[in-house]
Amino acid sequence: MTELKNRSELLFLYDVTDANPNGDPVDENKPRIDEETGVNIVTDVRLKRTIRDYLYEYKGLEVFIREIRKEDGKLKTKEERLEEFKSNQEVIEKCIDIRLFGATTAVEKKTMALTGPVQFKYGRSLHRVDLTYIKGTTVMPSGAEKTQGTFTEKYILPYSLIAFYGIVNDNLAKVQNIPLTQEDVDYMLEAMWHGTKNLISGSKFGQVPRLLIQIVYKPDSYFYIGELNRRIKLISDIEDEKIRDISQVKIDISDLAKALEENKGKIEKIRYKVDERLRLVKDGMDTSLTQALSQLSLEELSF
């Protein structure tokens, strides 16, 4: 396995139906909403949790930050977890999430302060969302003295199409002696796609990956286009808050395609995966990603 020598940018779109993509624990676990714009926000921590869980539970890879309970039922801290390894180098070599996202923690004689080569901005929906309050009842009582079921309540989003933007910084890995490999990045991309589909819980079920693009730049280049999430836009004949399915929208990639074509001399290749239900538009015309980016070297992701 060779260390990574290419900088790359990531654009990831997924949607949520009748679920809570990222609750705010200090606000009744409501989905996070930008009060000024009505846009749904998902933290980078939530996406990293999705990636970590998939890599550990489905690929059997060692992950440093995960839920481990001690004999007394309490969760292990990062500091206690760090004590399980002989050295920081062993942690880095064994734990894929440290190579990807870094870590900051310390114990008496052992500290770790690594900035992750992979960084994501907060995800934001491409439209205003409709925050919905759901109330129900349970059949079983919640206490020994009670004889009837109790009320339940939760907040969901009927629909949200979310865009994440990220960068894989090969130089940051190099200067910190993090042996990040292409295989690590490939595992992460797979985890973004399939990990999202496998969020099958009461609050998360209903999330589907729609588009994943990795722009791979030529080796040892410090260039990147930037703000890929701002170079696409959602088009729909329906009011934002009334959108309920991916079939009711199209994604205009005109600005993104233009930026890629203008910088094609700096790009080694574009790797991608597209859900069959996602509809794309370029310059006012329906298109496919391969048609829209036909002037560039394309590679479909095989997972």
Side-chain angles (χ1 to χ4, degrees):
M1 295 182 291
T2 57
E3 293 184 13
L4 194 68
K5 295 182 179 180
N6 302 77
R7 173 169 296 187
S8 62
E9 288 185 279
L10 305 173
L11 179 64
F12 180 46
L13 271 61
Y14 69 96
D15 60 5
V16 176
T17 304
D18 295 331
N20 182 352
N22 187 203
D24 186 345
V26 300
D27 189 18
E28 303 178 72
N29 204 43
K30 294 178 183 177
R32 302 170 191 266
I33 308 292
D34 184 331
E35 294 182 359
E36 294 294 326
T37 63
V39 162
N40 174 213
I41 298 173
V42 179
T43 67
D44 60 323
V45 175
R46 174 60 261 181
L47 179 58
K48 290 175 183 177
R49 180 74 273 147
T50 298
I51 293 168
R52 285 183 169 107
D53 288 348
Y54 179 83
L55 293 178
Y56 178 72
E57 296 172 5
Y58 289 87
K59 305 305 291 187
L61 299 175
E62 182 61 89
V63 168
F64 181 75
I65 298 180
R66 58 186 174 90
E67 185 176 296
I68 303 175
R69 293 196 177 273
K70 298 179 289 186
E71 292 183 0
D72 60 5
K74 294 181 180 180
L75 290 172
K76 279 191 176 182
T77 65
K78 288 193 296 183
E79 289 74 23
E80 289 171 328
R81 184 86 167 101
L82 192 58
E83 291 176 342
E84 297 177 7
F85 298 87
K86 296 177 182 178
S87 65
N88 286 353
Q89 192 60 35
E90 184 182 23
V91 179
I92 296 168
E93 290 175 357
K94 288 188 174 182
C95 299
I96 186 172
D97 60 328
I98 300 298
R99 296 195 296 275
L100 291 168
F101 308 131
T104 301
T105 188
V107 293
E108 289 183 1
K109 297 182 180 180
K110 194 184 299 182
T111 62
M112 179 179 292
L114 297 173
T115 301
V118 178
Q119 296 291 334
F120 293 102
K121 292 184 68 65
Y122 280 10
R124 285 180 170 264
S125 62
L126 298 174
H127 57 102
R128 298 184 306 277
V129 296
D130 177 22
L131 180 63
T132 301
Y133 174 65
I134 303 291
K135 196 163 187 176
T137 59
T138 62
V139 174
M140 298 182 70
S142 61
E145 302 299 323
K146 297 180 180 180
T147 59
Q148 294 182 339
T150 57
F151 288 104
T152 63
E153 55 184 40
K154 62 181 176 180
Y155 292 88
I156 65 165
L157 299 179
Y159 188 77
S160 179
L161 179 58
I162 300 157
F164 263 99
Y165 167 64
I167 291 183
V168 181
N169 189 340
D170 62 309
N171 186 63
L172 191 55
K174 186 187 304 179
V175 298
Q176 296 180 104
N177 294 316
I178 299 175
L180 185 67
T181 66
Q182 182 60 54
E183 184 180 34
D184 292 334
V185 175
D186 289 346
Y187 273 128
M188 181 188 70
L189 297 178
E190 179 182 340
M192 290 169 68
W193 191 270
H194 289 301
T196 297
K197 292 182 72 173
N198 280 286
L199 289 171
I200 305 172
S201 66
S203 64
K204 297 292 184 287
F205 188 39
Q207 303 195 57
V208 180
R210 299 298 183 183
L211 175 67
L212 177 56
I213 296 176
Q214 181 192 21
I215 302 170
V216 182
Y217 293 98
K218 292 184 176 179
D220 302 318
S221 170
Y222 300 132
F223 174 83
Y224 66 97
I225 293 170
E227 297 188 318
L228 301 184
N229 55 314
R230 296 182 180 274
R231 298 176 186 273
I232 59 172
K233 60 183 178 181
L234 181 145
I235 300 173
S236 180
D237 296 328
I238 301 172
E239 292 180 27
D240 279 11
E241 293 88 346
K242 295 181 179 179
I243 298 171
R244 294 294 183 268
D245 188 74
I246 192 67
S247 63
Q248 297 173 319
V249 306
K250 295 181 180 181
I251 301 301
D252 189 334
I253 60 171
S254 303
D255 290 345
L256 176 62
K258 180 180 179 182
L260 294 174
E261 290 166 2
E262 288 175 348
N263 293 282
K264 63 182 180 181
K266 302 179 180 70
I267 297 171
E268 182 173 285
K269 61 183 175 181
I270 296 176
R271 308 172 77 203
Y272 70 94
K273 193 169 184 67
V274 187
D275 178 73
E276 60 182 9
R277 296 190 65 213
L278 182 68
R279 297 186 295 172
L280 302 175
V281 174
K282 179 186 176 186
D283 300 329
M285 302 291 290
D286 288 356
T287 187
S288 66
L289 191 69
T290 53
Q291 290 174 330
L293 305 180
S294 60
Q295 301 301 312
L296 295 117
S297 175
L298 300 176
E299 176 189 322
E300 185 174 7
L301 293 163
S302 60
F303 48 74

